[in-house]
Amino acid sequence: MPRAILNEDQIHPAIREKIANLHRDIVDEVKAAVAANPVVVVGMGINPMPKKARAALDAAVVPYKYLEYGNYLNTWRRRNALKMWTGWPTFPMVFVKGSLVGGAADLQALIASGELKKLLA
């Protein structure tokens, strides 16, 4: 089931470019990391869940690229661009072989089931 996204023809032409380029740098940075690395964890400081995801990968001896953007007290507007791009509402955002697989709990489930190793094979 595709997620709901406002059609471009429902956005006034005068603001389309503003929407397309709002905090594009952070999205482009994550896209580049996802293209260059088999596993990418995108997180934020203070939040314990990115730490749990990284600890799970470390315990499973799976190398990963970690990108951290601010914390609860700052950088939230830039992080919103990532949430809008992915549709994922929380951090971390974990990517495996170019696909978003979810957050820390989702990653832990993939590791426990052996699915992560299959995805990386």
Side-chain angles (χ1 to χ4, degrees):
M1 176 169 114
R3 64 186 175 97
I5 299 175
L6 189 63
N7 290 327
E8 190 170 333
D9 62 355
Q10 293 177 290
I11 299 171
H12 192 278
I15 65 166
R16 287 181 189 159
E17 187 173 339
K18 182 177 183 177
I19 290 171
N21 292 316
L22 185 66
H23 302 300
R24 186 178 191 131
D25 61 321
I26 193 172
V27 174
D28 288 345
E29 185 175 11
V30 172
K31 281 183 178 180
V34 168
N37 299 278
V39 180
V40 176
V41 178
V42 181
M44 57 183 276
I46 303 175
N47 184 333
M49 298 313 285
K51 290 177 186 171
K52 286 183 181 185
R54 293 166 59 204
L57 289 167
D58 289 340
V61 192
V62 174
Y64 59 91
K65 170 79 172 174
Y66 179 62
L67 300 171
E68 184 174 283
Y69 297 104
N71 59 51
Y72 288 111
L73 305 175
N74 61 38
T75 321
W76 65 269
R77 286 186 175 102
R78 293 188 74 226
R79 286 193 308 274
N80 273 347
L82 294 173
K83 291 179 178 186
M84 289 187 293
W85 170 58
T86 63
W88 190 251
T90 60
F91 289 94
M93 295 174 179
V94 181
F95 296 85
V96 176
K97 293 281 187 145
S99 294
L100 177 65
V101 297
D106 306 289
L107 174 64
Q108 289 169 328
L110 287 176
I111 292 169
S113 70
E115 179 71 16
L116 182 64
K117 290 208 183 278
K118 290 178 188 174
L119 291 172
L120 293 172

